[in-house]
Amino acid sequence: MEFRRTHYTSHVTPEMNGQTVKLAGWVHEIRDLGGIMFLVLRDREGMAQITLFKKTIDPEVLKTAKALSRESVVLVEGDVKAEAKAPGGYELVPIKIDLLNPAKSPLPMDTTGKVDAELDTRLDNRFMDVRRPRTQAVFHIRHHMLSAVREFLEQEGFIEINTPKVVATATEGGTALFPITYFDTEAFLNQSPQLFKQLMMSGGMDKVFEIGPIFRAEEHDTRRHLNEATSIDIEASFMDHEDVMVILENLVVYVYEKVAERAVPSLKTLGIELTIPTAPFKRLTYDEAIEVNNENSKEFLEWGDDLSTNAEKVIGKFIGEHYFITDWPTEIKPYYTQPYEDKPTVTKAFDMMHPRMELSSGAQRVHDHDMLHKRIQDQGLNPDGFEFYLKAFRYGIPPHSGWGLGAERLLMTMLDVDNIRDVVLFPRDRKRVSP
Ligand code: ATP
Ligand code: MG
């Protein structure tokens, strides 16, 4: 049986009226209305209506059509007929239907969107959930988002690197690590490429980026945390925190623009009209952020407190668009962020925020070996475990800065998706490691 892609038509238009084409896909819907039968064929580009006029159709074709089950894979050869009422503006009058692989009934979930499935059911049957046009659209947009990220960073002179995910030391200390057995010793899944991308600054690569998994063992149960997330990370030499903030805001704008331009059908499927943010984003100092919170919330924050989820929401609502929070108290940011020379209680760290949540954290980094050593110690960590990292600071490392941007958070806020699990194919959370 013929099934190779090169032998059939991938894109049919109403202008092809009268031509004979071959289409392959899944049987999305079957409607038998007495004198006429409709099959809706679905592929990743959309839907095509197959119309069988029972009086004139070849009885063999009708017999095959009648025996079809939903979600079976078929190849249909037929004549294109322009038909304004059909999806795509045409229908196909079949000459031949080949059943390539039948689907069993009942299906584990509905693919037409007529019956709402619970998130858990959809995730348990993700292969089938992805057949739903809405789900498929999300992942097409994710593809466009990541390809725009790569494109932008490459244009800015960044080189893509890959760093290990199995590591011997925590990036930031603390307990939020997944331990693994590594031969006869213990290792961990890396929570961030931070230390490795900094090593490449000592390596003279100047501007690097990585798009890869980060593992966080916190027992979150929120709509914006995963235990395995995708981080878009950059690190750049001879740049300060303000330089990399400009790269970050321009990247966000670029990604929105390219998605709006290139993912038109997917955005339409989701019913989304993207509002492209404008750069530069507002900059609030941490002090100003605290003030906004304290004037607009019942929850009072003191200088030195981290921003709670509620504070992020209150400040986000007040600002109403993407913004930065800069100049954080040194003590609540990691040891590798660079304090201001004239005011060491404040550090050159920033968060980039969407009104709903944090999207990115970044900073100028400490590049002085002795200061870094001391800061690791001051945070209660053992510098011995960081020797592989500290070593690179003894032999010439330029001043440098960088950030990490959560890919899922960028996507979920762009598409106004409520739950982060909806923008990951196979989410990993406290309760889910399979599929
Ligand atoms: P939060 O305070 O929101 O939990 P964080 O400050 O712990 O985030 P960072 O260590 O600053 O996170 O990581 C940089 C970015 O990576 C975050 O701004 C976020 O976009 C993303 N990120 C971090 N942890 C997670 C997670 N568990 N799930 C999804 N994305 C995450
Ligand atoms: Mg952060």
Side-chain angles (χ1 to χ4, degrees):
M1 205 177 287
E2 186 52 71
F3 60 85
R4 288 165 56 204
R5 226 181 234 284
T6 43
H7 290 84
Y8 65 84
T9 324
S10 60
H11 195 67
V12 182
T13 61
E15 289 71 44
M16 290 162 76
N17 189 40
Q19 289 182 31
T20 303
V21 298
K22 282 185 181 177
L23 283 182
W26 287 257
V27 177
H28 187 67
E29 273 189 79
I30 304 168
R31 266 176 293 152
D32 199 338
L33 309 173
I36 196 165
M37 182 177 179
F38 296 108
L39 300 176
V40 178
L41 190 68
R42 186 194 67 242
D43 71 4
R44 67 175 214 187
E45 310 298 334
M47 309 282 178
Q49 177 174 298
I50 317 294
T51 309
L52 295 87
F53 300 101
K54 291 189 185 166
K55 268 194 187 145
T56 49
I57 193 99
D58 175 347
E60 269 308 303
V61 177
L62 185 63
K63 198 174 142 204
T64 312
K66 284 201 153 181
L68 289 175
S69 56
R70 279 174 52 208
E71 296 302 321
S72 294
V73 181
V74 294
L75 179 67
V76 181
E77 185 175 354
D79 297 327
V80 179
K81 226 178 100 194
E83 168 56 67
K85 278 179 281 175
Y90 71 90
E91 61 184 3
L92 208 63
V93 181
I95 301 163
K96 198 170 165 225
I97 298 176
D98 286 331
L99 176 59
L100 299 182
N101 209 350
K104 292 211 187 321
S105 307
L107 299 169
M109 62 170 286
D110 174 63
T111 56
T112 61
K114 285 179 184 156
V115 188
D116 260 342
E118 296 283 328
L119 182 61
D120 267 331
T121 311
R122 292 176 36 222
L123 293 176
D124 286 342
N125 301 284
R126 197 53 146 170
F127 71 93
M128 184 152 280
D129 181 46
V130 175
R131 297 183 192 181
R132 294 165 68 236
R134 288 188 63 87
T135 308
Q136 180 114 175
V138 168
F139 292 101
H140 278 223
I141 294 169
R142 187 176 164 120
H143 158 74
H144 285 294
M145 174 187 82
L146 290 176
S147 95
V149 166
R150 284 204 165 81
E151 201 174 270
F152 176 84
L153 291 174
E154 216 175 298
Q155 283 167 20
E156 293 283 322
F158 284 80
I159 290 175
E160 184 164 8
I161 59 167
N162 304 99
T163 64
K165 303 308 152 205
V166 175
V167 295
T169 336
T171 306
E172 308 191 6
T175 51
L177 286 169
F178 288 112
I180 59 164
T181 305
Y182 192 71
F183 300 110
D184 49 7
T185 156
E186 187 183 54
F188 304 94
L189 294 177
N190 207 3
Q191 62 194 143
S192 156
Q194 182 63 33
L195 307 186
F196 294 95
K197 62 182 186 168
Q198 284 191 266
L199 292 186
M200 289 307 99
M201 297 304 98
S202 190
M205 288 187 83
D206 275 15
K207 291 175 172 179
V208 299
F209 79 99
E210 175 164 12
I211 301 175
I214 55 170
F215 300 91
R216 307 274 167 116
E218 282 109 2
E219 295 192 18
H220 306 287
D221 190 13
T222 77
R223 290 162 177 260
R224 61 178 206 287
H225 288 99
L226 294 162
N227 293 107
E228 177 179 356
T230 308
S231 181
I232 301 162
D233 264 90
I234 76 157
E235 203 64 31
S237 287
F238 310 106
M239 285 198 178
D240 68 9
H241 54 303
E242 285 168 16
D243 293 325
V244 293
M245 282 161 66
V246 172
I247 292 176
L248 181 53
E249 63 195 350
N250 287 339
L251 174 125
V252 171
V253 172
Y254 186 87
V255 166
Y256 270 73
E257 281 173 354
K258 294 302 154 191
V259 166
E261 217 174 282
R262 297 169 182 169
V264 176
S266 299
L267 289 168
K268 202 173 150 209
T269 301
L270 295 174
I272 290 175
E273 218 164 295
L274 277 190
T275 311
I276 315 239
T278 39
F281 296 167
K282 282 209 176 86
R283 275 121 168 104
L284 257 75
T285 61
Y286 168 87
D287 292 16
E288 289 165 340
I290 292 283
E291 210 177 297
V292 169
N293 176 75
N294 289 351
E295 278 167 13
N296 293 282
S297 171
K298 286 191 199 100
E299 178 198 25
F300 188 84
L301 294 179
E302 308 247 18
W303 198 89
D305 286 343
D306 212 341
L307 297 186
S308 61
T309 308
N310 188 57
E312 283 185 3
K313 292 223 168 85
V314 168
I315 304 163
K317 195 168 167 216
F318 183 83
I319 304 288
E321 56 191 3
H322 290 84
Y323 63 104
F324 284 103
I325 303 177
T326 65
D327 300 358
W328 286 75
T330 304
E331 63 186 42
I332 55 172
K333 283 291 180 187
Y335 59 82
Y336 50 77
T337 68
Q338 172 77 48
Y340 281 95
E341 289 76 11
D342 54 351
K343 199 180 181 194
T345 50
V346 179
T347 182
K348 297 181 185 179
F350 59 85
D351 278 5
M352 196 267 286
M353 313 291 295
H354 178 275
R356 287 174 60 197
M357 68 187 80
E358 177 192 317
L359 299 187
S360 170
S361 286
Q364 183 179 325
R365 321 299 190 186
V366 176
H367 60 269
D368 178 82
H369 172 273
D370 295 351
M371 181 193 267
L372 190 57
H373 189 278
K374 181 168 183 308
R375 282 175 54 78
I376 289 174
Q377 227 162 14
D378 287 352
Q379 292 208 353
L381 301 166
N382 182 358
D384 293 349
F386 291 86
E387 176 51 22
F388 78 98
Y389 170 64
L390 283 166
K391 196 173 183 180
F393 289 75
R394 288 200 282 270
Y395 305 101
I397 184 168
H400 59 281
S401 303
W403 43 253
L405 164 67
E408 287 81 17
R409 292 202 185 166
L410 180 61
L411 185 59
M412 74 185 286
T413 50
M414 178 158 54
L415 302 183
D416 201 19
V417 166
D418 183 49
N419 193 325
I420 196 166
R421 292 161 184 79
D422 268 316
V423 299
V424 200
L425 281 174
F426 300 103
R428 295 291 174 254
D429 64 25
R430 182 74 191 81
K431 293 184 201 103
R432 185 175 287 278
V433 274
S434 176

